[in-house]
Structures are given as C-alpha cells and as structure tokens.
Amino acid sequence: MFSVPRHIFRPPRVRASVDLTRQYSRSQDPLRDKIVYMTSSRGVNVLHDPLLSKGTAFTIDERERLAIRGLVPPRCQDMQQQLLRVKRNLSYCETPLSKFIFLSALQDRNETLFYKLIIENLEELAGIIYTPTVGLASLKSHSIYRRSRGMYFSTQDRGNMSAMVYNWPHDEVDVIVVTDGSRVLGLGDLGANGMQIPIGKLSLYVAAGGIRPRAVLPVVLDVGTNNESLLNDPLYMGLGHPRIEGEEYYSFVDEWVTAILSRWPNVLIQFEDFKHPHAYNLLNKYRDRITCFNDDIQSTSAITLAGLLASLKARGLDQRDLANERIVCVGAGSAGVGVCEGIIDCMVSQGKVKSRQDAYRRIWMLDQYGLLGNSAVAAGDPTRIVQGPQRPAGSLDARQLCYVKDDMADRMSLEEVIERIKPTALLGLTGIAGVFSEKAIRTMAKYQERPVIFPLSNPDTHAECTAEQAFKWSDGRAIFASGSPFKDVQLGNGKIGRTNQCNNSYSFPGIGLGVVTSRASRVTSEMFLETARTIADMASSSQLKEGILFPGVSQLREVSMKVATRVCAVAYEQEVAQARLKEGEMLENLVRDSMFTPEYVPLVNHAYH
C-alpha cells in the first residue's frame, strides 16, 4: 500500500459545503461516526427532492420534524422493503428501454434507493443505465423525456453563461461530464439528445466510483445539430440550427469553461463524445490549464491497454513484451488515435523501443478508405487496383500521419493488411457493424494460436463483429473483448468462449475518484498508464487461462478503489495533488473512506434544530 511520504504536504482545497455532516473517526466510535443531514426544506419540497426523499422510509420523528406527516403512507418501510417493491416492478418491464425509463423515474424521485439498487445489481443493471441501452435512450431521448436533469448551455446563452452557472442549486460540484452530442457512441450526431450520455456516465461515477450524487453535474453544450431527422422532428428539444464550427465553436466552449471555473474552480471536467478533430483540439487546449480529460481518448485508451497487457499474460507472455506485438487498429478518429497513443506511451515507458517513432511502427491504422499508407507505393504497382473512393488530399492530421506506413500501399483493405503483417491483435473503433469480416478473422487465426480480437464500438449493434462470429471464425481460439457486453459463447465439447467487456466503465470512475480524493490540479498521462497496469493485474492466472481478462462488472467498485488509490499515488508523486494528508496515512484507507455508500441518514430541518 502507498503511504504519504514525509516531504509531501499540500494545502487542502476548502470545500464550499458538505453533502453530509460526516466525520470519519479512526477509533470507529459510533457516536462520532453518526451521520446527520441538515436541510432547510420542509413539506412536499422534501418529498420532491430526489437527494432528500426516502419515500416510505421516513421515521415518525422525521415526518414530524419535516412537516410531511400525513403526506406519505403511514407505515414506515426500510430500504430492503423498498428494494423488494422496486425489483418486482422492474421485473415487469419487458424491454431494456422500458427498464431504462423505469430506473430514470426512480432516480428522479429517490437517488439513495436508486444507487442502492444499482450497486447491489451492477452486473444486471450497468448495461441498462449505460451502454448498450443508453445508446437507444439517446436516440429516443426527445420522445421519452420526463424531467430535466443537468444543465444545457446553448448558442442563445452566449454572454450569459457566467450568470447561468449559479442556477445550479449545489455549491459544490466535484465532477462534470460534458458533451456537445456530436459523436454519441457509434450513433453519430444526436445534438441535445446526447444528454443521456453524461447522465449515464455520472450514474457510474456514483455507483462504481463512489462520487457523491450531490457533487456531479451532467452538461450538454447545444451548438446545433447536423442531424436532419432531428431538425425536422417537432419533439426535438435542442436548437434547430446546424452546428456552429471554427472559431465561433471554440469561443463558445471557452466561455463555458470560464463560466464553470468561475463558480467551481477545482472541478474535474470530463469531455465526452466530441467529434474529431474537436475532441483532440479541446483536450490539447485545456489539459495543462485545468483539471480535465477526454474519456473517449484517454480512459478508453487505458482500458484497451489493460486488455492488451492482460492478453499477453493470457498467452503466456510478459507485459513487457508489448513492443513485440503487431497491432492493427481499424478506426482513425479521436478514439482510435487516442487508444493507439496510449499503447505507444506504454511501449515507450517500458523502454523496449528505441524511440516513439519506433513504437509507431508496431501499429497499422486503417480509416474508412483503408490503410494509412503510401500512395506512391500503390501507384508504382500496375497490378494493384484499389476499389472505392480516394482519400481527400491533406485530410490526415498530424496525429494520424504518425501511423502512415511508407513501405505499404495506401488504402490496402483490412484483409490485405492482415495477410501481409500477420497481426497479433485487432482493434475496432469504427462504430460500423461487420467491419471485421470472416476472411479477416480466419486469416488472422491462421497465423496466431490465440488471436486477440477487440471490437470496441458501442452500442453492441455497432460492434465490428459479434462474440459468436469471433469464436466461430477463429475456431474457438480468440481472446475476445468488446465495448458493449456479449454473452459467453458455447463452443461445444463442454468448452466456453469467454467474453470480456473492454469498456471505459472500468477506468473512468476510478480515475475520477482518485483525482477528486487527491484534489489533483491536473490529470496526467501517467495516471492513465497506472490505471491500465492496475486493471491488467486484477485477473487471476486461472481466469487468464480461460480468456478472462478483467474482473466482472459486479466488482466495479473494487476496481475503482484500486485504480483511485494508484491515481492518488501518482498525483502525489508528480506533485499535482493539493489535498493535505497526515504523515503515514494510507491512501487505500483514504480512498475507501471517501466513497459514497447509499444509506438513509437522519434528516433535521434547520428551523426545527
């Protein structure tokens, strides 16, 4: 375990207010550990506040103190009885979307009960509140809208954002997840409908990462949409104009960032589902100025790297053999490039490559036109005829150009690339179903005993291949991980093809918890590398032998706690942590104690007190 060395002392961040008046006692004195929440609300305002409401669980004394006696059924029922009712009603929901709507309604009226349900049933419900169901909910968000959650900043709010931030009712916000809805999962431009993604992400921040529900804020930047079906839909709730671009766009985002920091200067901002090149441009603009990261670029990279490192162990190799891998990445957008940059970072840190340029030679990248290669090579081969559209001249940016292979023909197909280089690992970040063809996987399996196949696009309907296809076409030998969950595959003869969910739900909650706990002023690249290494070491030898790379989704809180502990350690080692810790204090204990646990606590009205 990591303890704070003598020389590290940082001034603490002063909390503007506290969610619960909780004091942690090292002696575990039950009187000192008692939790009470003071509120100025009374009557129906208590019942209508999802952060305060207990539904039928208010005690007789609380009903009297809070002026709600007679406003709820007379019998007091504890949380377990409430969970019984909720589970029974949830079981009546026949489709994932109907379950999503039911759970959203529960979250809107009683967040404590909602998170208790989610935490106790993470394996079953993570896929409902997050991917893949959140994708369908985003598509239909304007149709299933019931109650506002989070904040919307639109182009009609320019010049007013610094005042608008004070409309949010909570003085303390630890984590903001923000999107402009321009690239929602693999579904494209969904405009203001993208709000479901920050809500889902923050639900996992609370359930898996232990961030307090009162301290999270989902945000949509409504800069318009280019989605014609939404623009023509009378129920669409975003502004009905095309997306703003260029300097107008970046000026808008800058006003929003300035407004947010004016009220919450220490908040962690997670950029989510921004299209290329905005995703990289915003990250590069703000990463060294504020506490922020891009989930699609950085935490997706961390969990993918964790999967590759674990797959090395599953194949009887060492994690330090990463530089010997031959990796094909299909998808050259912000997610694809971000994932590969994380892999490159790890190769360089291991010291097994001569330079970063040498590491780039280990990865072959394809976009919608084919391999990023050398057009001169293709032009010099009269027998080579490339079908399909030409890649526009100058369309590759500086990051993508790093992956261009000068010795291979431009726009080679996936099948040609696999036959040529015989890759050990195949990554998919295209958002297009079926990109991994039967020929591609069978060719790969011809050269690799255990081909590593990661179709990472979300939701599951946009995965590059299904689990069943990967195992069928590799004769059951694949090491498989996907962005959205797939069921294990029965291979016959009593054998099972194990599937893994290589999703950033394993990485971002712990990263956020570590940053918030340490009060880190920056989110550094080393934090993501440590996240990957930590997760890669969590599967046992027997699990790896079966092809299981990660702990189950039910263990997300344990994963987050371990990741957060290492992120805290990195924050202190790199001197970006601002929280003051006692000499010798164990970070693991600090992280564990800081995690939110959904429990009903006594409520006292200020006036009554």
Side-chain angles (χ1 to χ4, degrees):
M1 292 187 291
F2 183 91
S3 61
V4 182
R6 290 176 179 272
H7 69 281
I8 294 180
F9 291 97
R10 291 284 177 273
R13 277 180 171 173
V14 178
R15 291 180 174 269
S17 62
V18 290
D19 182 13
L20 300 175
T21 56
R22 183 170 190 168
Q23 298 294 325
Y24 292 97
S25 166
R26 297 304 178 195
S27 63
Q28 296 300 305
D29 180 346
L31 295 178
R32 294 183 62 187
D33 287 345
K34 188 66 175 176
I35 306 168
V36 174
Y37 183 69
M38 307 288 293
T39 177
S40 59
S41 296
R42 285 171 60 84
V44 293
N45 290 334
V46 174
L47 300 180
H48 294 166
D49 186 337
L51 292 167
L52 295 177
S53 181
K54 303 181 183 181
T56 58
F58 288 104
T59 66
I60 293 298
D61 288 342
E62 285 177 321
R63 297 176 190 210
E64 191 68 41
R65 290 195 301 264
L66 301 170
I68 58 173
R69 194 162 187 167
L71 300 183
V72 291
R75 185 176 181 179
C76 179
Q77 295 179 315
D78 63 24
M79 189 178 288
Q80 290 306 314
Q81 291 171 303
Q82 292 178 316
L83 285 172
L84 179 63
R85 179 185 297 110
V86 169
K87 290 178 182 177
R88 181 182 297 171
N89 289 330
L90 183 61
S91 69
Y92 297 147
C93 299
E94 297 181 351
T95 66
L97 183 60
S98 64
K99 291 181 179 181
F100 177 93
I101 294 171
F102 176 86
L103 291 174
S104 295
L106 175 61
Q107 186 178 19
D108 284 341
R109 68 176 183 271
N110 187 335
E111 292 213 30
T112 306
L113 185 61
F114 170 80
Y115 284 113
K116 187 72 170 180
L117 176 71
I118 299 300
I119 289 171
E120 290 189 356
N121 301 273
L122 264 172
E123 192 85 43
E124 175 188 354
L125 298 181
I128 301 297
I129 65 171
Y130 189 49
T131 184
T133 308
V134 73
L136 180 59
S138 296
L139 288 170
K140 297 181 176 295
S141 182
H142 57 297
S143 299
I144 63 174
Y145 177 83
R146 298 292 187 277
R147 177 175 175 175
S148 183
R149 177 173 286 269
M151 290 195 73
Y152 297 81
F153 295 81
S154 72
T155 52
Q156 66 186 11
D157 299 318
R158 282 176 288 193
N160 296 294
M161 295 186 200
S162 292
M164 287 173 60
V165 293
Y166 287 92
N167 292 340
W168 189 247
H170 305 300
D171 289 331
E172 185 179 3
V173 173
D174 288 334
V175 181
I176 290 174
V177 176
V178 57
T179 185
D180 68 355
S182 57
R183 191 204 62 84
V184 176
L185 302 176
L187 304 172
D189 181 357
L190 296 185
N193 280 12
M195 175 58 92
Q196 298 296 347
I197 301 300
I199 292 173
K201 291 281 185 178
L202 288 168
S203 293
L204 282 181
Y205 260 117
V206 177
I211 304 295
R212 296 165 303 127
R214 193 178 295 270
V216 300
L217 172 57
V219 170
V220 158
L221 304 181
D222 185 0
V223 295
T225 180
N226 296 332
N227 187 322
E228 290 295 331
S229 65
L230 291 178
L231 290 174
N232 295 324
D233 192 322
L235 295 182
Y236 177 60
M237 296 178 293
L239 294 183
H241 62 72
R243 287 186 170 274
I244 61 173
E245 295 290 350
E247 181 54 36
E248 185 181 12
Y249 173 84
Y250 291 109
S251 175
F252 175 91
V253 176
D254 203 50
E255 181 185 346
W256 176 79
V257 170
T258 301
I260 290 296
L261 296 181
S262 70
R263 186 176 184 193
W264 302 292
N266 300 316
V267 70
L268 168 63
I269 297 176
Q270 175 177 309
F271 292 105
E272 186 71 36
D273 286 349
F274 286 76
K275 70 178 182 179
H276 182 82
H278 293 335
Y280 257 107
N281 291 343
L282 292 174
L283 178 62
N284 290 336
K285 181 175 183 178
Y286 295 112
R287 69 194 307 172
D288 294 325
R289 295 168 50 188
I290 65 175
T291 310
C292 72
F293 69 95
N294 183 290
D295 185 48
D296 307 290
I297 294 172
Q298 294 170 288
S299 58
T300 298
S301 175
I303 189 59
T304 305
L305 175 59
L308 289 174
L309 295 176
S311 78
L312 286 166
K313 295 165 65 177
R315 288 173 280 161
L317 302 171
D318 191 278
Q319 291 186 9
R320 292 171 294 181
D321 293 324
L322 180 65
N324 296 328
E325 293 287 275
R326 297 184 300 281
I327 300 168
V328 169
C329 177
V330 188
S334 57
V337 173
V339 163
C340 292
E341 287 296 309
I343 297 170
I344 298 294
D345 287 342
C346 188
M347 288 182 181
V348 172
S349 72
Q350 290 177 343
K352 293 294 190 73
V353 291
K354 297 176 182 178
S355 64
R356 192 172 187 87
Q357 190 59 41
D358 187 29
Y360 282 120
R361 297 190 181 99
R362 270 68 170 180
I363 298 177
W364 288 258
M365 184 173 287
L366 292 82
D367 63 6
Q368 67 267 41
Y369 303 103
L371 179 72
L372 306 190
N374 187 345
S375 57
V377 173
D381 183 357
T383 66
R384 178 174 173 75
I385 301 176
V386 180
Q387 302 293 333
Q390 294 280 345
R391 180 183 293 107
S395 61
L396 299 181
D397 64 24
R399 292 172 294 270
Q400 294 166 326
L401 288 172
C402 294
Y403 296 92
V404 170
K405 296 294 177 282
D406 292 330
D407 60 338
M408 296 177 67
D410 191 37
R411 298 192 297 138
M412 288 177 67
S413 69
L414 174 60
E415 293 77 10
E416 290 176 309
V417 172
I418 289 177
E419 182 65 55
R420 172 82 173 268
I421 70 166
K422 304 173 179 57
T424 56
L426 177 61
L427 312 178
L429 296 114
T430 65
I432 302 174
V435 168
F436 293 174
S437 66
E438 179 176 358
K439 181 179 179 181
I441 292 178
R442 287 196 180 279
T443 302
M444 186 177 178
K446 182 171 64 174
Y447 298 111
Q448 303 299 331
E449 178 60 29
R450 300 203 70 186
V452 176
I453 300 173
F454 287 7
L456 299 175
S457 293
N458 293 310
D460 52 348
T461 54
H462 287 246
E464 286 75 13
C465 73
T466 66
E468 186 173 354
Q469 289 170 335
F471 284 109
K472 179 181 178 181
W473 298 337
S474 65
D475 300 322
R477 293 182 282 114
I479 295 176
F480 179 89
S482 55
S484 290
F486 283 93
K487 293 181 179 179
D488 289 341
V489 177
Q490 298 296 326
L491 302 177
N493 300 322
K495 295 183 178 180
I496 300 175
R498 297 294 186 182
T499 62
N500 298 275
Q501 188 177 1
C502 185
N503 190 281
N504 51 24
S505 57
Y506 280 95
S507 52
F508 73 80
I511 293 168
L513 177 61
V515 169
V516 169
T517 302
S518 66
R519 296 296 175 185
S521 61
R522 298 292 180 270
V523 187
T524 67
S525 297
E526 184 62 28
M527 292 177 182
F528 294 99
L529 284 178
E530 274 302 299
T531 296
R533 295 177 187 126
T534 300
I535 298 173
D537 286 335
M538 293 189 71
S540 65
S541 299
S542 59
Q543 288 176 318
L544 291 169
K545 192 174 296 184
E546 291 185 49
I548 299 172
L549 305 178
F550 308 117
V553 174
S554 61
Q555 296 175 267
L556 278 181
R557 281 179 73 88
E558 179 186 349
V559 173
S560 296
M561 189 183 74
K562 291 187 176 181
V563 167
T565 301
R566 286 305 307 153
V567 168
C568 280
V570 171
Y572 281 98
E573 289 164 359
Q574 296 189 316
E575 300 189 348
V576 296
Q578 299 182 82
R580 178 185 296 168
L581 301 175
K582 297 177 182 178
E583 183 179 335
E585 187 168 22
M586 306 308 296
L587 284 179
E588 183 176 351
N589 296 336
L590 179 72
V591 170
R592 182 186 295 110
D593 286 348
S594 71
M595 294 180 73
F596 164 78
T597 300
E599 299 171 346
Y600 289 141
V601 299
L603 297 179
V604 177
N605 181 266
H606 282 300
Y608 183 92
H609 181 262

